[in-house]
């Protein structure tokens, strides 16, 4: 079994539209020093919460990911955000990485916000960000 983070990384880097715009510049958790624009940073913001029902626990878990897209123009950020939506709309199903896999039952965009980063040194160029929150339901082994 792979982690949800590994599955989302594989989906974003393996999606033709996203890869065409950011290449392999998709970073789980943190951004490297002096990154090349544009790029994507994502992280899981809520723990996998188990789904329960009257019969007990299930193999379904819910988690939330924040996906931040950075670029040097608003139009580039919007184009990448659109491709991320396409990539994650295709996420339900089995995502395989190497010998491991993860079954994603649902992927849903919860919120999306556009901002301009203004807290920059005077020598810095303007930076644009789209921050999206996605909710995922995925399966885990019960044993």
């Amino acid at each position: 079994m792979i982690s949800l983070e590994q599955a989302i990384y594989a989906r974003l880097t393996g999606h033709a539209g996203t890869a065409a715009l950011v290449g392999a510049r998709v970073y789980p958790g943190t951004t490297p020093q002096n990154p090349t624009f544009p790029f994507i940073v994502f992280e899981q913001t809520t723990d996998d919460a188990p789904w329960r029902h009257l019969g007990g626990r299930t193999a379904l878990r819910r988690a939330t990911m924040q996906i931040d897209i950075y670029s040097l123009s608003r139009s580039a950020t919007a184009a990448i955000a659109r491709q991320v939506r396409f990539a994650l709309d295709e996420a339900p199903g089995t995502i395989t990485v190497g010998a491991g896999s993860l079954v994603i039952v649902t992927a849903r965009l919860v919120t999306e916000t556009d901002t301009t980063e203004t807290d920059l040194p005077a020598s810095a160029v303007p930076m644009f960000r789209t921050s999206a929150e996605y909710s995922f339901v995925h399966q885990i082994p019960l044993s």
Side-chain angles (χ1 to χ4, degrees):
M1 185 175 102
I2 62 172
S3 70
L4 180 59
E5 185 176 84
Q6 290 170 308
I8 299 309
Y9 178 83
R11 177 63 70 199
L12 292 175
T13 57
H15 181 262
T18 305
L21 297 173
V22 298
R25 294 182 306 274
V26 177
Y27 307 110
T30 59
T31 308
Q33 288 281 5
N34 302 314
T36 300
F37 287 87
F39 63 90
I40 298 171
V41 180
F42 70 97
E43 66 182 334
Q44 188 169 330
T45 56
T46 62
D47 269 348
D48 290 332
W51 278 22
R52 298 189 178 275
H53 56 74
L54 293 176
R57 74 183 186 127
T58 71
L60 298 178
R61 307 281 275 188
R62 180 178 297 168
T64 304
M65 290 270 184
Q66 179 173 324
I67 300 173
D68 292 317
I69 301 156
Y70 293 90
S71 78
L72 300 178
S73 76
R74 174 67 61 217
S75 61
T77 306
I80 297 164
R82 179 183 163 120
Q83 292 304 316
V84 167
R85 284 191 299 275
F86 289 152
L88 296 180
D89 281 347
E90 297 171 7
T94 302
I95 298 174
T96 302
V97 177
S101 64
L102 182 74
V103 176
I104 295 182
V105 179
T106 63
R108 183 175 68 90
L109 175 63
V110 178
T111 62
E112 189 173 88
T113 307
D114 296 322
T115 59
T116 303
E117 299 294 319
T118 57
D119 197 16
L120 302 169
S123 61
V125 295
M127 183 170 52
F128 300 90
R129 177 177 69 165
T130 294
S131 185
E133 180 181 306
Y134 282 85
S135 175
F136 296 92
V137 174
H138 59 98
Q139 290 181 331
I140 60 161
L142 285 176
S143 53

